[in-house]
Amino acid sequence: MNEVRVRFAPSPTGTLHIGGARTALFNWLYARSNQGKFILRLEDTDLGRSTESSAAGIVEGLRWLGLDWDEGPDIQGPYGPYRQSERLAIYQHYIEKLLNEGKAYYCFCSSKELAARREQNLGYDGKCRDLTPAEVNNKLASGLQPVVRFKMPQTGTTTVEDQVRGSVHFENKLFDDSIICKSDGWPTYNLAVVIDDHEMKINHVIRAEEHLPNTPKQLLLYEALGFEVPNFAHVSMILAPDRSKLSKRHGATSVQEFRDNGYLPETMINYLALLGWSSGEDITFFNLTELINRFNLSNVSKSAAVYDTEKLTWMNGHYVAEAETNRLIQLIKPEAIRKGWLTVDNQSYFTNVVELVKNRVKTTNEIFDAVEYFFEDVDSYDTKGMKKHFSKPGAIDLLQSVLEILTTADSFSTSKLEEMLRAKATELNVKAGDLIHPARLALSGRTNTPGIFDVMVILGRKNCIIRTEQAIHFIQEQS
Ligand code: GLU
């Protein structure tokens, strides 16, 4: 069997959104699970809309996800260039060929004429199909800039054999003679994609369902050009939770946004893999290797995948908790330094704090809120917590008991502090929580923190004493 060759062919007109990333991932997995090649091709023939920064962003997003390519614009390869804007001569060769063979023709209809037809919901009427060579030459000589149209067959059916959707039939008579070359000389998507997939020896085209209506037109071009047809697989749409088309209003949709919002690449990979594919097992978490070992097109679903931010965020929490603390620190470092929370002198303190909270956050960005009281003074207390723990009679005495423990503990360790606090609760005939809750509020200003004895040990004896005394003063001032 031929080596599997697949490609991801984004148009650099925006960011790498999750739909595109999912297409890239499925292609990449298909290549890697078949010891094939994954090719990156930039489809930038829309010169007005394509930008360098978009191309760079897409490349950066793919790298961040860990999807590497075997041939592409930056590394080249045997079938380059890998940017359509550098392949004009190749397209022109085939356009000439189609014109010479009478399979395509020049069309001189003005955009005004065409717009008028569109307004009446009429397609192109084939007006220029039968111009004589003399008429064509006259028009060319007068300086008119024609487009080139492909002669679509007007009868019969074209069938797409799709690996996800089965056989999909299209009536040829529904197709206008489509433009394959614009008046500026650049090919349109349908022609460029066919030529490139052929020239780059792509044998499996895995792409979004939205391209399915283009595929019969491409098949007719394959036939006209005498090219071997690749296998097609059209992957279903990704819908928003309300089953509408996923768009900006549903929150972050680009890979870079997720990265900037504190999501990890392994989360994105795992989550995107499950958007439209399932291994058939009762397993939720997959790393790249596990996906490579399992991925195949027969488990790709025909029905739309529904994107669920909550599940994605939950999944990210799992990966953040599992991540090496040092890696998380590297990710949040610039902001932590900017806030003055990470300095040359407090690296181990910082590490301990991140270690303590990492299984309580869903994104790396949430770490900042989760650790704030380790780096900033407590200058206010949770309102509900105050009512519950600071306003009740005896609150000061309870905090005095906590203070006594903090002051007298001979070793400032979690086990020692816990042992002393529990003994104190028994002595006072109160529940351990009656001491723990006000202590937590005093030390953090919050009602919800990691285990209080861990918090105490990391904050350190001196800081704990200062904060507990400060809470006692605060309650005294209130009463
Ligand atoms: N440039 C096209 C897109 O971004 C590629 C479509 C294809 O894979 O054929 O949608």
Side-chain angles (χ1 to χ4, degrees), residues 27-71:
N27 276 285
W28 186 90
L29 288 172
Y30 194 72
R32 296 293 173 255
S33 60
N34 288 290
Q35 290 77 46
K37 293 280 187 307
F38 175 63
I39 289 120
L40 175 64
R41 180 174 74 225
L42 292 175
E43 302 212 322
D44 58 350
T45 51
D46 188 341
L47 304 178
R49 292 178 59 225
S50 301
T51 65
E52 271 315 307
S53 67
S54 162
I58 291 170
V59 163
E60 183 189 289
L62 292 170
R63 287 221 177 94
W64 180 74
L65 289 170
L67 304 180
D68 55 340
W69 45 97
D70 305 294
E71 296 163 31

mmCIF file of all heavy atoms in Angstrom, residues 27-71:
data_model
loop_
_atom_site.group_PDB
_atom_site.id
_atom_site.type_symbol
_atom_site.label_atom_id
_atom_site.label_comp_id
_atom_site.label_asym_id
_atom_site.label_seq_id
_atom_site.Cartn_x
_atom_site.Cartn_y
_atom_site.Cartn_z
ATOM 1 N N ASN A 27 -6.230 14.637 11.072
ATOM 2 C CA ASN A 27 -5.270 14.327 10.012
ATOM 3 C C ASN A 27 -3.951 13.836 10.605
ATOM 4 O O ASN A 27 -3.370 12.853 10.147
ATOM 5 C CB ASN A 27 -5.019 15.564 9.136
ATOM 6 C CG ASN A 27 -6.076 15.717 8.059
ATOM 7 O OD1 ASN A 27 -6.081 14.988 7.070
ATOM 8 N ND2 ASN A 27 -7.002 16.644 8.254
ATOM 9 N N TRP A 28 -3.503 14.541 11.616
ATOM 10 C CA TRP A 28 -2.237 14.190 12.252
ATOM 11 C C TRP A 28 -2.311 12.773 12.833
ATOM 12 O O TRP A 28 -1.408 11.953 12.637
ATOM 13 C CB TRP A 28 -1.935 15.214 13.360
ATOM 14 C CG TRP A 28 -0.603 15.078 14.008
ATOM 15 C CD1 TRP A 28 0.559 15.666 13.624
ATOM 16 C CD2 TRP A 28 -0.291 14.309 15.173
ATOM 17 N NE1 TRP A 28 1.573 15.309 14.485
ATOM 18 C CE2 TRP A 28 1.082 14.479 15.434
ATOM 19 C CE3 TRP A 28 -1.036 13.489 16.027
ATOM 20 C CZ2 TRP A 28 1.728 13.864 16.511
ATOM 21 C CZ3 TRP A 28 -0.398 12.866 17.088
ATOM 22 C CH2 TRP A 28 0.969 13.058 17.322
ATOM 23 N N LEU A 29 -3.413 12.502 13.532
ATOM 24 C CA LEU A 29 -3.571 11.163 14.128
ATOM 25 C C LEU A 29 -3.624 10.092 13.046
ATOM 26 O O LEU A 29 -3.065 9.007 13.207
ATOM 27 C CB LEU A 29 -4.853 11.102 14.974
ATOM 28 C CG LEU A 29 -4.809 11.871 16.300
ATOM 29 C CD1 LEU A 29 -6.206 11.891 16.945
ATOM 30 C CD2 LEU A 29 -3.807 11.233 17.265
ATOM 31 N N TYR A 30 -4.299 10.413 11.960
ATOM 32 C CA TYR A 30 -4.398 9.437 10.874
ATOM 33 C C TYR A 30 -3.006 9.149 10.308
ATOM 34 O O TYR A 30 -2.642 7.993 10.082
ATOM 35 C CB TYR A 30 -5.337 9.956 9.782
ATOM 36 C CG TYR A 30 -5.740 8.859 8.831
ATOM 37 C CD1 TYR A 30 -6.617 7.859 9.237
ATOM 38 C CD2 TYR A 30 -5.228 8.798 7.540
ATOM 39 C CE1 TYR A 30 -6.965 6.821 8.378
ATOM 40 C CE2 TYR A 30 -5.574 7.776 6.672
ATOM 41 C CZ TYR A 30 -6.452 6.793 7.096
ATOM 42 O OH TYR A 30 -6.790 5.764 6.260
ATOM 43 N N ALA A 31 -2.238 10.214 10.110
ATOM 44 C CA ALA A 31 -0.874 10.026 9.596
ATOM 45 C C ALA A 31 -0.040 9.225 10.583
ATOM 46 O O ALA A 31 0.593 8.228 10.224
ATOM 47 C CB ALA A 31 -0.215 11.384 9.344
ATOM 48 N N ARG A 32 -0.057 9.635 11.841
ATOM 49 C CA ARG A 32 0.818 8.986 12.818
ATOM 50 C C ARG A 32 0.386 7.541 13.081
ATOM 51 O O ARG A 32 1.221 6.688 13.342
ATOM 52 C CB ARG A 32 0.841 9.778 14.140
ATOM 53 C CG ARG A 32 1.444 11.167 13.999
ATOM 54 C CD ARG A 32 2.938 11.139 13.667
ATOM 55 N NE ARG A 32 3.468 12.472 13.362
ATOM 56 C CZ ARG A 32 3.773 12.887 12.129
ATOM 57 N NH1 ARG A 32 3.605 12.087 11.084
ATOM 58 N NH2 ARG A 32 4.246 14.099 11.923
ATOM 59 N N SER A 33 -0.908 7.259 13.017
ATOM 60 C CA SER A 33 -1.318 5.880 13.309
ATOM 61 C C SER A 33 -1.105 4.974 12.096
ATOM 62 O O SER A 33 -1.185 3.759 12.212
ATOM 63 C CB SER A 33 -2.767 5.819 13.808
ATOM 64 O OG SER A 33 -3.621 6.328 12.835
ATOM 65 N N ASN A 34 -0.808 5.565 10.944
ATOM 66 C CA ASN A 34 -0.531 4.741 9.760
ATOM 67 C C ASN A 34 0.907 4.910 9.273
ATOM 68 O O ASN A 34 1.214 4.607 8.124
ATOM 69 C CB ASN A 34 -1.488 5.119 8.618
ATOM 70 C CG ASN A 34 -2.902 4.632 8.900
ATOM 71 O OD1 ASN A 34 -3.162 3.436 8.873
ATOM 72 N ND2 ASN A 34 -3.796 5.545 9.208
ATOM 73 N N GLN A 35 1.759 5.399 10.130
ATOM 74 C CA GLN A 35 3.167 5.674 9.768
ATOM 75 C C GLN A 35 3.232 6.484 8.471
ATOM 76 O O GLN A 35 4.056 6.223 7.593
ATOM 77 C CB GLN A 35 3.990 4.385 9.598
ATOM 78 C CG GLN A 35 4.276 3.632 10.878
ATOM 79 C CD GLN A 35 3.071 2.847 11.343
ATOM 80 O OE1 GLN A 35 2.430 2.162 10.550
ATOM 81 N NE2 GLN A 35 2.740 2.951 12.611
ATOM 82 N N GLY A 36 2.317 7.428 8.343
ATOM 83 C CA GLY A 36 2.270 8.230 7.124
ATOM 84 C C GLY A 36 2.859 9.610 7.334
ATOM 85 O O GLY A 36 3.568 9.864 8.315
ATOM 86 N N LYS A 37 2.556 10.501 6.399
ATOM 87 C CA LYS A 37 3.103 11.855 6.466
ATOM 88 C C LYS A 37 1.968 12.865 6.651
ATOM 89 O O LYS A 37 0.897 12.740 6.046
ATOM 90 C CB LYS A 37 3.837 12.192 5.159
ATOM 91 C CG LYS A 37 5.110 11.373 4.940
ATOM 92 C CD LYS A 37 6.257 11.945 5.741
ATOM 93 C CE LYS A 37 7.617 11.316 5.473
ATOM 94 N NZ LYS A 37 7.724 9.882 5.571
ATOM 95 N N PHE A 38 2.242 13.856 7.480
ATOM 96 C CA PHE A 38 1.286 14.941 7.725
ATOM 97 C C PHE A 38 1.890 16.216 7.150
ATOM 98 O O PHE A 38 3.013 16.590 7.495
ATOM 99 C CB PHE A 38 1.056 15.076 9.234
ATOM 100 C CG PHE A 38 0.186 16.237 9.627
ATOM 101 C CD1 PHE A 38 -1.138 16.311 9.218
ATOM 102 C CD2 PHE A 38 0.678 17.264 10.430
ATOM 103 C CE1 PHE A 38 -1.947 17.382 9.596
ATOM 104 C CE2 PHE A 38 -0.121 18.331 10.814
ATOM 105 C CZ PHE A 38 -1.439 18.383 10.392
ATOM 106 N N ILE A 39 1.143 16.827 6.250
ATOM 107 C CA ILE A 39 1.671 17.976 5.518
ATOM 108 C C ILE A 39 0.885 19.234 5.875
ATOM 109 O O ILE A 39 -0.340 19.188 5.976
ATOM 110 C CB ILE A 39 1.584 17.691 3.993
ATOM 111 C CG1 ILE A 39 2.631 16.621 3.652
ATOM 112 C CG2 ILE A 39 1.836 18.931 3.146
ATOM 113 C CD1 ILE A 39 2.068 15.403 3.073
ATOM 114 N N LEU A 40 1.596 20.311 6.062
ATOM 115 C CA LEU A 40 0.935 21.596 6.307
ATOM 116 C C LEU A 40 1.033 22.438 5.044
ATOM 117 O O LEU A 40 2.126 22.640 4.509
ATOM 118 C CB LEU A 40 1.606 22.327 7.479
ATOM 119 C CG LEU A 40 1.071 23.738 7.757
ATOM 120 C CD1 LEU A 40 -0.388 23.707 8.183
ATOM 121 C CD2 LEU A 40 1.916 24.432 8.827
ATOM 122 N N ARG A 41 -0.113 22.874 4.565
ATOM 123 C CA ARG A 41 -0.126 23.714 3.359
ATOM 124 C C ARG A 41 -0.945 24.963 3.644
ATOM 125 O O ARG A 41 -2.074 24.861 4.127
ATOM 126 C CB ARG A 41 -0.766 22.929 2.209
ATOM 127 C CG ARG A 41 -0.817 23.727 0.923
ATOM 128 C CD ARG A 41 -1.311 22.883 -0.231
ATOM 129 N NE ARG A 41 -2.733 22.622 -0.181
ATOM 130 C CZ ARG A 41 -3.298 21.433 -0.397
ATOM 131 N NH1 ARG A 41 -2.564 20.367 -0.649
ATOM 132 N NH2 ARG A 41 -4.595 21.296 -0.340
ATOM 133 N N LEU A 42 -0.384 26.096 3.364
ATOM 134 C CA LEU A 42 -1.125 27.342 3.607
ATOM 135 C C LEU A 42 -1.868 27.739 2.341
ATOM 136 O O LEU A 42 -1.255 27.932 1.283
ATOM 137 C CB LEU A 42 -0.166 28.454 4.047
ATOM 138 C CG LEU A 42 0.462 28.253 5.431
ATOM 139 C CD1 LEU A 42 1.477 29.349 5.719
ATOM 140 C CD2 LEU A 42 -0.607 28.234 6.532
ATOM 141 N N GLU A 43 -3.168 27.836 2.451
ATOM 142 C CA GLU A 43 -3.998 28.165 1.288
ATOM 143 C C GLU A 43 -4.250 29.670 1.299
ATOM 144 O O GLU A 43 -5.283 30.145 1.768
ATOM 145 C CB GLU A 43 -5.286 27.338 1.317
ATOM 146 C CG GLU A 43 -4.957 25.845 1.330
ATOM 147 C CD GLU A 43 -5.958 24.955 0.621
ATOM 148 O OE1 GLU A 43 -7.161 25.220 0.705
ATOM 149 O OE2 GLU A 43 -5.515 23.986 -0.030
ATOM 150 N N ASP A 44 -3.286 30.384 0.782
ATOM 151 C CA ASP A 44 -3.304 31.844 0.894
ATOM 152 C C ASP A 44 -3.487 32.531 -0.455
ATOM 153 O O ASP A 44 -2.904 33.586 -0.694
ATOM 154 C CB ASP A 44 -2.010 32.328 1.581
ATOM 155 C CG ASP A 44 -0.765 31.877 0.827
ATOM 156 O OD1 ASP A 44 -0.893 31.045 -0.095
ATOM 157 O OD2 ASP A 44 0.327 32.359 1.150
ATOM 158 N N THR A 45 -4.305 31.935 -1.327
ATOM 159 C CA THR A 45 -4.497 32.593 -2.626
ATOM 160 C C THR A 45 -5.468 33.757 -2.524
ATOM 161 O O THR A 45 -5.559 34.557 -3.444
ATOM 162 C CB THR A 45 -5.027 31.624 -3.698
ATOM 163 O OG1 THR A 45 -6.167 30.973 -3.164
ATOM 164 C CG2 THR A 45 -3.987 30.613 -4.107
ATOM 165 N N ASP A 46 -6.211 33.830 -1.434
ATOM 166 C CA ASP A 46 -7.059 35.004 -1.237
ATOM 167 C C ASP A 46 -6.145 36.101 -0.684
ATOM 168 O O ASP A 46 -6.017 36.292 0.528
ATOM 169 C CB ASP A 46 -8.197 34.682 -0.264
ATOM 170 C CG ASP A 46 -9.209 35.796 -0.190
ATOM 171 O OD1 ASP A 46 -8.866 36.938 -0.591
ATOM 172 O OD2 ASP A 46 -10.343 35.547 0.254
ATOM 173 N N LEU A 47 -5.499 36.796 -1.614
ATOM 174 C CA LEU A 47 -4.429 37.707 -1.216
ATOM 175 C C LEU A 47 -4.941 38.851 -0.353
ATOM 176 O O LEU A 47 -4.238 39.361 0.513
ATOM 177 C CB LEU A 47 -3.702 38.261 -2.457
ATOM 178 C CG LEU A 47 -3.139 37.193 -3.410
ATOM 179 C CD1 LEU A 47 -2.496 37.846 -4.622
ATOM 180 C CD2 LEU A 47 -2.150 36.279 -2.708
ATOM 181 N N GLY A 48 -6.195 39.210 -0.560
ATOM 182 C CA GLY A 48 -6.752 40.326 0.199
ATOM 183 C C GLY A 48 -7.001 39.967 1.657
ATOM 184 O O GLY A 48 -6.894 40.812 2.540
ATOM 185 N N ARG A 49 -7.324 38.719 1.912
ATOM 186 C CA ARG A 49 -7.698 38.342 3.278
ATOM 187 C C ARG A 49 -6.600 37.599 4.031
ATOM 188 O O ARG A 49 -6.654 37.484 5.249
ATOM 189 C CB ARG A 49 -8.979 37.498 3.251
ATOM 190 C CG ARG A 49 -10.204 38.334 2.822
ATOM 191 C CD ARG A 49 -11.458 37.471 2.745
ATOM 192 N NE ARG A 49 -11.763 36.855 4.023
ATOM 193 C CZ ARG A 49 -12.108 35.583 4.179
ATOM 194 N NH1 ARG A 49 -12.210 34.793 3.141
ATOM 195 N NH2 ARG A 49 -12.370 35.088 5.378
ATOM 196 N N SER A 50 -5.632 37.046 3.291
ATOM 197 C CA SER A 50 -4.588 36.271 3.972
ATOM 198 C C SER A 50 -3.572 37.215 4.596
ATOM 199 O O SER A 50 -3.196 38.204 3.985
ATOM 200 C CB SER A 50 -3.862 35.378 2.968
ATOM 201 O OG SER A 50 -4.782 34.514 2.372
ATOM 202 N N THR A 51 -3.155 36.892 5.809
ATOM 203 C CA THR A 51 -2.131 37.736 6.430
ATOM 204 C C THR A 51 -1.007 36.877 6.995
ATOM 205 O O THR A 51 -1.208 35.719 7.348
ATOM 206 C CB THR A 51 -2.703 38.582 7.590
ATOM 207 O OG1 THR A 51 -3.122 37.687 8.628
ATOM 208 C CG2 THR A 51 -3.876 39.438 7.152
ATOM 209 N N GLU A 52 0.147 37.505 7.076
ATOM 210 C CA GLU A 52 1.319 36.835 7.654
ATOM 211 C C GLU A 52 1.072 36.514 9.115
ATOM 212 O O GLU A 52 1.480 35.475 9.620
ATOM 213 C CB GLU A 52 2.553 37.743 7.557
ATOM 214 C CG GLU A 52 3.341 37.586 6.288
ATOM 215 C CD GLU A 52 3.591 36.140 5.881
ATOM 216 O OE1 GLU A 52 4.095 35.360 6.709
ATOM 217 O OE2 GLU A 52 3.265 35.782 4.729
ATOM 218 N N SER A 53 0.402 37.439 9.812
ATOM 219 C CA SER A 53 0.232 37.208 11.252
ATOM 220 C C SER A 53 -0.731 36.048 11.484
ATOM 221 O O SER A 53 -0.564 35.273 12.419
ATOM 222 C CB SER A 53 -0.223 38.474 11.973
ATOM 223 O OG SER A 53 -1.518 38.806 11.566
ATOM 224 N N SER A 54 -1.711 35.900 10.611
ATOM 225 C CA SER A 54 -2.602 34.753 10.754
ATOM 226 C C SER A 54 -1.834 33.457 10.504
ATOM 227 O O SER A 54 -1.962 32.482 11.254
ATOM 228 C CB SER A 54 -3.777 34.884 9.787
ATOM 229 O OG SER A 54 -4.405 33.645 9.615
ATOM 230 N N ALA A 55 -1.007 33.460 9.438
ATOM 231 C CA ALA A 55 -0.215 32.254 9.144
ATOM 232 C C ALA A 55 0.680 31.909 10.333
ATOM 233 O O ALA A 55 0.748 30.753 10.767
ATOM 234 C CB ALA A 55 0.629 32.481 7.888
ATOM 235 N N ALA A 56 1.316 32.943 10.889
ATOM 236 C CA ALA A 56 2.213 32.696 12.027
ATOM 237 C C ALA A 56 1.419 32.172 13.226
ATOM 238 O O ALA A 56 1.874 31.277 13.945
ATOM 239 C CB ALA A 56 2.943 33.988 12.393
ATOM 240 N N GLY A 57 0.227 32.723 13.420
ATOM 241 C CA GLY A 57 -0.608 32.289 14.547
ATOM 242 C C GLY A 57 -1.047 30.838 14.406
ATOM 243 O O GLY A 57 -1.055 30.080 15.386
ATOM 244 N N ILE A 58 -1.388 30.452 13.200
ATOM 245 C CA ILE A 58 -1.812 29.067 12.965
ATOM 246 C C ILE A 58 -0.652 28.106 13.233
ATOM 247 O O ILE A 58 -0.795 27.088 13.916
ATOM 248 C CB ILE A 58 -2.373 28.915 11.529
ATOM 249 C CG1 ILE A 58 -3.708 29.664 11.425
ATOM 250 C CG2 ILE A 58 -2.542 27.447 11.157
ATOM 251 C CD1 ILE A 58 -4.259 29.805 10.021
ATOM 252 N N VAL A 59 0.505 28.477 12.713
ATOM 253 C CA VAL A 59 1.693 27.640 12.917
ATOM 254 C C VAL A 59 2.006 27.523 14.421
ATOM 255 O O VAL A 59 2.257 26.441 14.947
ATOM 256 C CB VAL A 59 2.890 28.241 12.136
ATOM 257 C CG1 VAL A 59 4.214 27.688 12.615
ATOM 258 C CG2 VAL A 59 2.709 27.996 10.633
ATOM 259 N N GLU A 60 1.929 28.655 15.092
ATOM 260 C CA GLU A 60 2.212 28.680 16.534
ATOM 261 C C GLU A 60 1.198 27.814 17.298
ATOM 262 O O GLU A 60 1.554 27.046 18.191
ATOM 263 C CB GLU A 60 2.121 30.136 16.998
ATOM 264 C CG GLU A 60 2.450 30.385 18.427
ATOM 265 C CD GLU A 60 2.105 31.838 18.789
ATOM 266 O OE1 GLU A 60 2.822 32.733 18.313
ATOM 267 O OE2 GLU A 60 1.125 32.057 19.526
ATOM 268 N N GLY A 61 -0.070 27.917 16.907
ATOM 269 C CA GLY A 61 -1.120 27.131 17.560
ATOM 270 C C GLY A 61 -0.910 25.632 17.369
ATOM 271 O O GLY A 61 -1.040 24.847 18.314
ATOM 272 N N LEU A 62 -0.540 25.238 16.165
ATOM 273 C CA LEU A 62 -0.304 23.813 15.899
ATOM 274 C C LEU A 62 0.889 23.316 16.711
ATOM 275 O O LEU A 62 0.867 22.233 17.290
ATOM 276 C CB LEU A 62 -0.044 23.579 14.404
ATOM 277 C CG LEU A 62 -1.226 23.798 13.463
ATOM 278 C CD1 LEU A 62 -0.759 23.767 12.014
ATOM 279 C CD2 LEU A 62 -2.316 22.750 13.693
ATOM 280 N N ARG A 63 1.926 24.144 16.765
ATOM 281 C CA ARG A 63 3.124 23.755 17.539
ATOM 282 C C ARG A 63 2.772 23.605 19.003
ATOM 283 O O ARG A 63 3.194 22.666 19.662
ATOM 284 C CB ARG A 63 4.210 24.827 17.406
ATOM 285 C CG ARG A 63 4.851 24.834 16.072
ATOM 286 C CD ARG A 63 6.376 25.047 16.198
ATOM 287 N NE ARG A 63 6.954 24.970 14.871
ATOM 288 C CZ ARG A 63 7.183 26.031 14.109
ATOM 289 N NH1 ARG A 63 6.938 27.249 14.567
ATOM 290 N NH2 ARG A 63 7.676 25.884 12.904
ATOM 291 N N TRP A 64 1.992 24.561 19.488
ATOM 292 C CA TRP A 64 1.613 24.520 20.903
ATOM 293 C C TRP A 64 0.833 23.236 21.210
ATOM 294 O O TRP A 64 1.020 22.616 22.259
ATOM 295 C CB TRP A 64 0.769 25.764 21.238
ATOM 296 C CG TRP A 64 0.322 25.821 22.656
ATOM 297 C CD1 TRP A 64 1.093 26.111 23.753
ATOM 298 C CD2 TRP A 64 -1.007 25.577 23.136
ATOM 299 N NE1 TRP A 64 0.314 26.051 24.885
ATOM 300 C CE2 TRP A 64 -0.962 25.735 24.533
ATOM 301 C CE3 TRP A 64 -2.216 25.252 22.530
ATOM 302 C CZ2 TRP A 64 -2.097 25.569 25.341
ATOM 303 C CZ3 TRP A 64 -3.339 25.087 23.321
ATOM 304 C CH2 TRP A 64 -3.284 25.243 24.707
ATOM 305 N N LEU A 65 -0.004 22.835 20.272
ATOM 306 C CA LEU A 65 -0.768 21.599 20.477
ATOM 307 C C LEU A 65 0.123 20.354 20.376
ATOM 308 O O LEU A 65 -0.279 19.269 20.773
ATOM 309 C CB LEU A 65 -1.885 21.493 19.434
ATOM 310 C CG LEU A 65 -3.054 22.449 19.594
ATOM 311 C CD1 LEU A 65 -3.949 22.393 18.355
ATOM 312 C CD2 LEU A 65 -3.872 22.123 20.839
ATOM 313 N N GLY A 66 1.301 20.532 19.810
ATOM 314 C CA GLY A 66 2.213 19.390 19.675
ATOM 315 C C GLY A 66 1.989 18.608 18.387
ATOM 316 O O GLY A 66 2.408 17.464 18.275
ATOM 317 N N LEU A 67 1.326 19.237 17.412
ATOM 318 C CA LEU A 67 1.088 18.568 16.132
ATOM 319 C C LEU A 67 2.202 18.970 15.168
ATOM 320 O O LEU A 67 2.208 20.086 14.659
ATOM 321 C CB LEU A 67 -0.287 18.968 15.568
ATOM 322 C CG LEU A 67 -1.468 18.711 16.508
ATOM 323 C CD1 LEU A 67 -2.775 19.145 15.855
ATOM 324 C CD2 LEU A 67 -1.530 17.245 16.909
ATOM 325 N N ASP A 68 3.127 18.087 14.948
ATOM 326 C CA ASP A 68 4.256 18.429 14.086
ATOM 327 C C ASP A 68 3.994 17.950 12.664
ATOM 328 O O ASP A 68 3.216 17.027 12.455
ATOM 329 C CB ASP A 68 5.547 17.800 14.623
ATOM 330 C CG ASP A 68 5.410 16.287 14.797
ATOM 331 O OD1 ASP A 68 4.255 15.796 14.870
ATOM 332 O OD2 ASP A 68 6.432 15.592 14.837
ATOM 333 N N TRP A 69 4.613 18.597 11.692
ATOM 334 C CA TRP A 69 4.386 18.223 10.301
ATOM 335 C C TRP A 69 5.677 17.785 9.644
ATOM 336 O O TRP A 69 6.768 18.178 10.057
ATOM 337 C CB TRP A 69 3.686 19.335 9.518
ATOM 338 C CG TRP A 69 4.239 20.706 9.736
ATOM 339 C CD1 TRP A 69 5.123 21.369 8.963
ATOM 340 C CD2 TRP A 69 3.917 21.603 10.821
ATOM 341 N NE1 TRP A 69 5.386 22.612 9.494
ATOM 342 C CE2 TRP A 69 4.673 22.780 10.618
ATOM 343 C CE3 TRP A 69 3.076 21.523 11.936
ATOM 344 C CZ2 TRP A 69 4.597 23.873 11.496
ATOM 345 C CZ3 TRP A 69 3.011 22.600 12.809
ATOM 346 C CH2 TRP A 69 3.767 23.757 12.582
ATOM 347 N N ASP A 70 5.526 16.940 8.636
ATOM 348 C CA ASP A 70 6.683 16.372 7.953
ATOM 349 C C ASP A 70 7.119 17.216 6.762
ATOM 350 O O ASP A 70 8.255 17.142 6.313
ATOM 351 C CB ASP A 70 6.355 14.952 7.477
ATOM 352 C CG ASP A 70 5.887 14.104 8.647
ATOM 353 O OD1 ASP A 70 6.705 13.860 9.537
ATOM 354 O OD2 ASP A 70 4.694 13.723 8.690
ATOM 355 N N GLU A 71 6.173 17.958 6.217
ATOM 356 C CA GLU A 71 6.471 18.875 5.116
ATOM 357 C C GLU A 71 5.608 20.109 5.361
ATOM 358 O O GLU A 71 4.478 19.983 5.812
ATOM 359 C CB GLU A 71 6.072 18.249 3.759
ATOM 360 C CG GLU A 71 6.875 17.005 3.410
ATOM 361 C CD GLU A 71 6.229 16.167 2.296
ATOM 362 O OE1 GLU A 71 5.557 16.736 1.423
ATOM 363 O OE2 GLU A 71 6.405 14.940 2.325
#
